[in-house]
Amino acid sequence: MERVDDGGPAPSALSGAGGLTGALADALAPLAADFSVAVLEPGSGTSGAHGDGSYATASVIKVGILAALLLGAQDEGRRLTAQERSYATVMIERSDNDAATALWQTIGGANGLETALGRLGLTDTHADDRGRWGLTHTTASDQLTLLRAVFLDGSPLSARSQAYPRTLMGRVTAGQTWGISSAADGTGAGTRLKNGWMPRDATGLWVVNSIGEVTANGRPYLIAVLSEGNADREGGVALVEEVARTAVATTAAYGSR
């Protein structure tokens, strides 16, 4: 864990027995699933990451699809159409897959997604070569970069464009509010998130992911937790929640030094 003034987690934040990696090892040693996390407390600039693997996004890619749609609308000097807004609402709030597929086509599929996300600073997010948006692969650090583009100043997204996904992520249906929300303590503006989950056909093991913003001790934290190899969805949710709690607590402790 280290304090930085700008940018995502520095390479040295990816390791260190006395920092985030050590805290996670102590908390999660009994668990067999693979996971990665990246976290940033924007106020102090404290950031950290554990793991640098690439993971299937499942439905967390829907935030990226919406960001690409908004960036494209900006380029065209227009607002989203009523139909696009309808699709975006159910895609984020209810995780509707048909709406995601419709907007995937609107943004130009894999090429459109990668181009837009590249403009937002993502370098390790790659669409599936058969166009299956849920099998886009990404890293926790790249998802943190996406969250920075959605939540922080200095983004290629306009203030209006940033506000829209933040609003939708704060209205996710009750059954999908698990995940990074476990790190929130009820202070501040509350949690804004998007989760993703799916079994892998080849193994039956589960991908379970959660990205967004939580507030703890009155401070916002941007956090992305990705995991795969979970025996079931419930176990994956428990893993993601424990990782989120540990990452935010460790970041908070370091940032208060």
Side-chain angles (χ1 to χ4, degrees):
M1 185 73 62
E2 70 176 30
R3 185 177 292 125
V4 295
D5 294 328
D6 197 14
S12 59
L14 297 173
S15 61
L20 182 54
T21 294
L24 289 168
D26 291 341
L28 300 167
L31 301 177
D34 183 28
F35 69 90
S36 182
V37 58
V39 60
L40 169 69
E41 195 273 284
S44 67
T46 304
S47 69
H50 169 81
D52 57 1
S54 181
Y55 298 78
T57 58
S59 285
V60 298
I61 194 57
K62 292 168 181 173
V63 178
I65 292 172
L66 180 53
L69 179 71
L70 291 163
L71 198 57
Q74 282 182 204
D75 292 343
E76 296 168 8
R78 66 174 181 85
R79 297 187 180 184
L80 299 187
T81 67
Q83 182 63 80
E84 288 169 341
R85 292 179 69 85
S86 177
Y87 282 143
T89 297
V90 297
M91 177 178 72
I92 300 297
E93 293 184 6
R94 303 180 195 171
S95 205
D96 186 273
N97 290 338
D98 290 339
T101 298
L103 293 181
W104 173 264
Q105 294 167 351
T106 298
I107 67 172
N111 289 338
L113 178 78
E114 290 191 6
T115 298
L117 295 186
R119 291 171 59 187
L120 298 179
L122 283 70
T123 59
D124 292 312
T125 298
H126 305 288
D128 172 62
D129 58 11
R130 293 173 58 185
R132 297 167 294 183
W133 47 260
L135 293 182
T136 300
H137 273 69
T138 193
T139 63
S141 291
D142 246 22
Q143 289 304 294
L144 184 60
T145 297
L146 176 61
L147 293 172
R148 289 174 61 89
V150 170
F151 284 91
L152 303 185
D153 293 340
S155 171
L157 293 169
S158 69
R160 181 188 295 273
S161 292
Q162 288 179 305
Y164 188 50
R166 293 200 302 257
T167 297
L168 298 183
M169 291 168 74
R171 299 199 305 229
V172 169
T173 189
Q176 298 178 22
T177 57
W178 49 266
I180 62 163
S181 56
S182 68
D185 63 7
T187 61
T191 299
R192 294 178 281 193
L193 58 71
K194 182 71 192 81
N195 296 329
W197 61 98
M198 66 179 185
R200 298 304 298 264
D201 291 341
T203 64
L205 299 177
W206 283 74
V207 169
V208 180
N209 304 323
S210 185
I211 68 171
E213 180 191 64
V214 300
T215 305
N217 300 314
R219 295 186 174 188
Y221 293 81
L222 302 181
I223 182 169
V225 184
L226 308 178
S227 74
E228 64 181 20
N230 298 285
D232 50 37
R233 180 180 178 275
E234 292 73 19
V237 170
L239 169 70
V240 166
E241 292 186 338
E242 183 62 27
V243 170
R245 286 191 294 268
T246 302
V248 168
T250 305
T251 304
Y254 187 91
S256 64
R257 292 179 183 179

